[in-house]
Amino acid sequence: MEKFYVTTPIYYVNDRPHIGHAYTTVLADVLARFNRSLGKDTFFLTGTDEHGQKVQNAAEKHGIPPQQHCDETVLRFQELWQKLGITCDRFIRTTQEEHKRVVREVLQDLYDRGEIYKADYTGWYCVGDERFFTEKDLVDGKCPECGREVTAITESNYFFRMSKYQDWLIDHIKNNPEFILPSFRANETLGFLKKPLADLCISRPKSRLSWGIELPFDTDYVTYVWFDALLNYVSGVGYRTDDEKFKRWWPASCELIGKDILTTHTVYWPTMLKAMNLPLPKTIFAHGWWLTGNQKMSKSLGNVVNPMDMIERAGVDAFRYFLMAEMSLGNDANFTEETFISRYNSDLANDLGNLLSRVVKLTIRATGGTIPEISALNDDDKELNAAVDAAIAAMSSSLENYKLDQGIASVLNAVRAGNRYLEKCAPWTLAKNGETERLHTVLASAATALFKVAVLLAPVMPDKMSELIAALGGTGNVPGIAELATHSGICGWVMKDVPPLFPRIIEEKAETAPAPKTAKAEKKAKAAPAPQAGLPGIITIDDFKRTELRTAKVLKAEKVEGADKLLKLEIELGSELRQIVSGIAQWYTPEEMVGKMIIVVANLQKAKIRGVESNGMLLAAKVGDTLSLITPDKDMPSGILVG
């Protein structure tokens, strides 16, 4: 059986979990659930990193021993993961004896083979990142990673001969395009490797740091926290403790990380594995950051989103859905209450929840709730089925390419196709006219589409999709995607009238009444000159209203083959995916465009440019040789009307 092994970074227990932790863990859970749904043998590992300077400092701040601090703080992670429906197969803690034994054995083996040596060292140390940097690495005299102050330290330490693997690592990255994703992160690592790679300091003297795994060959030192933590990916699946289990799962299929720990995972980790004579993970995927107002969330700025707040507001599944649907994997995304509510109301309350409510009520009215048999299909039925089949195919493809947001968007397109189908087929009119056979086909087709949508979205919203299937008359158990082709169908199930699956969130806004028109204002309006016919550049307000300007988010960008000036953009226009072609390639690279919020003319007639279909036009200003895109200056969801 095909296997899928996914990991998250293990999280420091120096503070409570935030949205960054929640996002990576939900993402791993969704990937694990999808792969289980596809029939793959799946293992999902997450956990906590419990050694090092930051943990020791946090414990000292609270006046308790480090182990007690770890035992208390880890509960916050475990409780949140339970609340979020995380289905990890193992939650590893680096203070567990099994893991510590593996770390000591790896260290001893590398030391015995000359891969680790002792030397004096002088460098700049960052407590926040628990890393040494050279003078040339510093940015304005501060840590190049986090911007914190650094401390000059001279001491004897043990070093891993990382530098000897530099050329090998460069070749591996270049020859294995799936190893580091997205590809621009691979380019970042290759850029880092253009400079000579130093050996890695893998110890800390106990005189400075006592909280760590003691070196087996020198009891005056503890292990550098990153060398300890990275080994969890192998110790968590039986390395040196259960050979059969380890052979079953290693190498990992996907190691998920945030982009801020790219170097440790794409330089330190692969060279460690090479020295250990172990194969490398198939993919290390670095996702972006959640931002608020285009700033990274941080405690110092006070803009960190507490996952529990959003869960209390809209429920766990809605929170999971937003995280997966809003961020294009690899790019940054903004988290605001406004965008959360907008997507919730649009996708879940208006589209999916509304479709379920309509189908259930119409079926109960027509048949008492029993889902009828489907008779001969017409073009409308086939169009709906095609939209659902396209969503199944797109979801599979999006999983393989780590483009979950696009897969989810395709499923929502099928949901909207379901709502259009009801409007077009008008089952209420069929019932009124006594067209029973056609009515039954329409109701059963819509219900079947909903059932398949629930199967596709179950890895993202497991509880709500179980409720949806129960409302259709099922047991609530959701079959896997792999079972859809052979499923016996839902005809004969008896629907239940249920409360709204996703109650609409009402935003509290202060209402202001329009100012009354004064007699002077009315007189001025009447006296306004009429537009002058035939004068170039002059349009009426009615002319302007015919132009539909909307915000749009760029999901994907690439150059048009054979055209130096053209970019082909895949955009999200509210709930719709579109493609537009624009002559901006000499001012913007494809990488710069992805994730941008732009303004487009949404009702422009479709056209073909160099044989590529374009459905809309973006707005830009140009003076001389300079071109600038017209973009909103504040966070806005896509699809919002401009004007």
Side-chain angles (χ1 to χ4, degrees):
M1 179 185 289
E2 194 175 352
K3 66 99 173 173
F4 183 78
Y5 172 30
V6 62
T7 68
T8 72
I10 51 175
Y11 308 114
Y12 272 129
V13 290
N14 59 316
D15 208 342
R16 67 179 66 245
H18 54 68
I19 191 174
H21 303 127
Y23 173 73
T24 313
T25 313
V26 169
L27 174 58
D29 182 69
V30 169
L31 289 173
R33 286 177 182 265
F34 265 121
N35 279 278
R36 292 186 197 113
S37 182
L38 290 166
K40 295 182 183 179
D41 201 12
T42 301
F43 195 93
F44 167 21
L45 177 74
T46 190
T48 44
D49 183 359
E50 303 186 5
H51 292 124
Q53 193 80 54
K54 284 192 282 190
V55 175
Q56 180 174 293
N57 291 351
E60 289 172 353
K61 181 180 177 182
H62 292 95
I64 58 177
Q67 188 63 61
Q68 181 183 340
H69 171 80
C70 294
D71 293 342
E72 291 176 1
T73 309
V74 73
L75 295 176
R76 296 172 178 170
F77 287 87
Q78 292 171 331
E79 288 167 0
L80 180 57
W81 293 174
Q82 185 175 8
K83 183 80 172 176
L84 286 171
I86 303 302
T87 57
C88 60
D89 295 281
R90 180 172 180 187
F91 185 98
I92 192 170
R93 299 178 60 186
T94 56
T95 52
Q96 291 169 340
E97 187 54 44
E98 177 189 322
H99 172 78
K100 292 193 289 186
R101 180 162 66 84
V102 170
V103 173
R104 287 192 292 265
E105 288 183 8
V106 169
L107 285 166
Q108 187 66 58
D109 175 59
L110 294 178
Y111 182 74
D112 291 344
R113 293 192 284 115
E115 296 282 355
I116 291 175
Y117 64 93
K118 190 175 184 180
D120 292 336
Y121 182 78
T122 299
W124 295 94
Y125 186 70
C126 173
V127 173
D129 285 300
E130 304 200 30
R131 287 173 59 186
F132 280 106
F133 295 96
T134 63
E135 184 81 39
K136 65 181 180 180
D137 290 329
L138 303 182
V139 176
D140 297 327
K142 297 181 179 179
C143 173
E145 297 292 334
C146 66
R148 296 184 181 94
E149 297 292 337
V150 291
T151 305
I153 292 178
T154 299
E155 61 189 18
S156 292
N157 264 310
Y158 287 88
F159 292 82
F160 164 56
R161 297 186 189 277
M162 186 165 67
S163 60
K164 69 186 275 190
Y165 298 109
Q166 181 167 6
D167 291 341
W168 163 82
L169 180 56
I170 291 170
D171 288 342
H172 183 83
I173 294 170
K174 288 181 176 178
N175 295 330
N176 295 273
E178 288 186 333
F179 177 53
I180 303 174
L181 292 176
S183 58
F184 58 86
R185 299 295 177 208
N187 291 335
E188 285 182 31
T189 299
L190 288 171
F192 176 84
L193 290 169
K194 285 180 179 178
K195 297 182 293 184
L197 189 61
D199 288 341
L200 179 65
C201 179
I202 55 92
S203 66
R204 300 292 182 263
K206 283 185 178 178
S207 58
R208 181 160 61 83
L209 171 66
S210 60
W211 184 239
I213 300 173
E214 193 175 87
L215 294 187
F217 42 81
D218 193 332
T219 57
D220 290 334
Y221 292 84
V222 296
T223 308
Y224 170 42
V225 67
W226 270 110
F227 195 95
D228 157 14
L230 289 166
L231 288 169
N232 94 91
Y233 301 128
V234 291
S235 70
V237 286
Y239 182 58
R240 290 180 171 265
T241 58
D242 187 336
D243 289 344
E244 187 177 337
K245 182 179 182 180
F246 185 64
K247 287 176 183 175
R248 179 183 177 190
W249 296 113
W250 192 258
S253 308
C254 177
E255 292 185 353
L256 291 170
I257 62 169
K259 65 180 182 179
D260 51 331
I261 51 176
L262 183 69
T263 301
T264 52
H265 281 79
T266 62
V267 178
Y268 297 6
W269 182 223
T271 55
M272 287 167 60
L273 287 169
K274 179 66 174 174
M276 293 160 61
N277 297 313
L278 291 179
L280 272 55
K282 179 184 176 183
T283 296
I284 296 173
F285 196 104
H287 64 71
W289 287 334
W290 282 100
L291 311 174
T292 52
N294 294 316
Q295 286 184 310
K296 183 189 177 186
M297 293 184 188
S298 73
K299 288 186 294 179
S300 59
L301 292 173
N303 63 351
V304 176
V305 173
N306 183 348
M308 297 304 295
D309 294 341
M310 303 313 297
I311 290 170
E312 292 301 321
R313 182 79 185 268
V316 170
D317 278 11
F319 177 71
R320 287 171 59 105
Y321 177 84
F322 179 84
L323 293 183
M324 296 302 101
E326 187 69 16
M327 180 181 275
S328 296
L329 265 175
N331 299 308
D332 295 339
N334 268 293
F335 194 117
T336 66
E337 187 173 358
E338 291 76 17
T339 55
F340 181 91
I341 293 173
S342 175
R343 185 175 280 277
Y344 172 93
N345 283 339
S346 173
D347 292 5
L348 302 181
N350 294 356
D351 293 333
L352 182 55
N354 184 47
L355 180 60
L356 175 67
S357 179
R358 295 170 82 186
V359 170
V360 169
K361 284 177 168 54
L362 287 166
T363 306
I364 289 175
R365 196 176 303 151
T367 68
T370 301
I371 299 176
E373 294 291 332
I374 295 176
S375 300
L377 302 180
N378 68 13
D379 289 343
D380 293 333
D381 309 322
K382 292 174 183 176
E383 185 179 341
L384 174 62
N385 293 341
V388 174
D389 289 343
I392 295 171
M395 186 57 81
S396 245
S397 172
S398 73
L399 282 169
E400 291 175 9
N401 297 301
Y402 295 98
K403 295 180 179 178
L404 266 179
D405 59 319
Q406 294 183 25
I408 291 169
S410 71
V411 179
L412 263 290
N413 283 341
V415 171
R416 295 180 190 106
N419 279 310
R420 290 195 301 270
Y421 174 76
L422 290 184
E423 292 297 330
K424 191 183 291 186
C425 297
W428 44 88
T429 302
L430 297 174
K432 184 178 179 181
N433 295 340
E435 299 178 55
T436 305
E437 185 175 317
R438 178 66 192 145
L439 171 64
H440 286 180
T441 293
V442 169
L443 295 176
S445 295
T448 300
L450 263 173
F451 167 72
K452 292 180 177 179
V453 160
V455 172
L456 291 174
L457 291 180
V460 181
M461 299 185 287
D463 292 339
K464 285 294 184 181
M465 293 306 97
S466 181
E467 288 179 32
L468 191 158
I469 286 179
L472 293 177
T475 61
N477 294 326
V478 183
I481 297 171
E483 300 169 54
L484 280 177
T486 57
H487 196 273
S488 58
I490 62 174
C491 294
W493 286 12
V494 180
M495 294 186 182
K496 303 164 190 169
D497 198 1
V498 294
L501 194 63
F502 297 102
R504 187 174 176 81
I505 297 176
I506 306 299
E507 295 185 73
E508 297 178 6
K509 292 182 179 178
E511 293 187 6
T512 55
K517 280 189 176 181
T518 63
K520 184 177 179 180
E522 288 181 352
K523 183 178 179 182
K524 184 177 179 181
K526 288 178 182 177
Q532 300 175 49
L535 189 62
I538 299 297
I539 62 172
T540 68
I541 188 65
D542 290 332
D543 291 329
F544 177 77
K545 285 180 179 178
R546 292 175 58 200
T547 304
E548 185 181 319
L549 302 179
R550 291 190 180 273
T551 57
K553 183 178 181 180
V554 180
L555 302 178
K556 183 179 178 182
E558 60 185 37
K559 286 193 173 182
V560 174
E561 190 173 347
D564 294 337
K565 296 181 180 180
L566 299 179
L567 287 185
K568 180 173 70 173
L569 309 177
E570 183 174 318
I571 62 170
E572 174 193 85
L573 196 68
S575 58
E576 181 184 359
L577 290 181
R578 281 198 192 182
Q579 176 177 289
I580 62 175
V581 176
S582 182
I584 59 172
Q586 65 188 94
W587 293 281
Y588 291 91
T589 65
E591 291 76 18
E592 285 179 290
M593 289 301 298
V594 173
K596 277 190 180 295
M597 191 67 74
I598 58 177
I599 308 296
V600 299
V601 181
N603 63 337
L604 190 68
Q605 186 174 0
K606 289 183 183 180
K608 281 202 172 183
I609 303 174
R610 287 290 187 95
V612 181
E613 184 174 277
S614 183
N615 187 7
M617 179 178 70
L618 60 76
L619 299 188
K622 186 172 184 289
V623 56
D625 293 325
T626 302
L627 179 138
S628 177
L629 295 174
I630 308 301
T631 61
D633 68 347
K634 292 182 180 176
D635 294 335
M636 298 288 286
S638 68
I640 299 301
L641 193 63
V642 177

